[in-house]
Amino acid sequence: MMVLHKQQAFTCFFTNNNLYKSFKADFYVDCTVKAPVVFNIRKESYDGAVLMTLTLNPGQTLENIIVDVSGTTKIYIESNIKINQGPIKKIVIGEPQFYNGELAEVIK
């Protein structure tokens, strides 16, 4: 007997074109989720090498996440959302930025 498990997937990508060394963003998952959600930031493709893994609890925001993206043309952010996590109404990747050197905290 085969048991099928329903699953949602989340994927987005940002194009770097090998121009920048760092990527910075804030990550948020809404409080309706019932279990922690794991996001992988991957190099070049949906199943590429993992540059960083983030785990967010329901309603949690992780701010100022910085990833070394040297030598990448694209980065993919993906998550497989499992049935026990319930529906997720909102995922936010806020203020995404590519940069080289130091990132100014305040732009005047």
Side-chain angles (χ1 to χ4, degrees):
M1 180 166 126
M2 182 189 301
V3 177
L4 298 176
H5 296 281
K6 292 183 181 180
Q7 187 171 330
Q8 301 176 55
F10 167 82
T11 304
C12 71
F13 72 90
F14 295 91
T15 302
N16 180 22
N17 290 331
N18 204 18
L19 298 173
Y20 302 99
K21 295 178 181 175
S22 299
F23 174 80
K24 175 186 165 290
D26 300 337
F27 291 78
Y28 167 80
V29 64
D30 72 275
C31 60
T32 61
V33 67
K34 297 175 181 160
V37 179
V38 176
F39 292 91
N40 291 305
I41 302 172
R42 295 180 177 268
K43 183 176 183 176
E44 305 302 339
S45 66
Y46 174 83
D47 59 353
V50 175
L51 300 172
M52 181 179 284
T53 298
L54 305 171
T55 301
L56 278 80
N57 292 314
Q60 183 178 17
T61 300
L62 296 177
E63 296 180 349
N64 300 316
I65 301 301
I66 298 172
V67 183
D68 180 0
V69 294
S70 301
T72 64
T73 57
K74 290 182 184 175
I75 61 167
Y76 281 72
I77 300 171
E78 59 85 12
S79 180
N80 289 313
I81 299 152
K82 296 176 179 45
I83 192 84
N84 69 326
Q85 292 169 311
I88 298 176
K89 294 182 180 178
K90 188 182 287 186
I91 293 171
V92 177
I93 300 172
E95 300 185 40
Q97 302 173 56
F98 284 105
Y99 65 96
N100 290 314
E102 296 297 317
L103 183 65
E105 289 295 322
V106 178
I107 299 174
K108 296 179 182 180

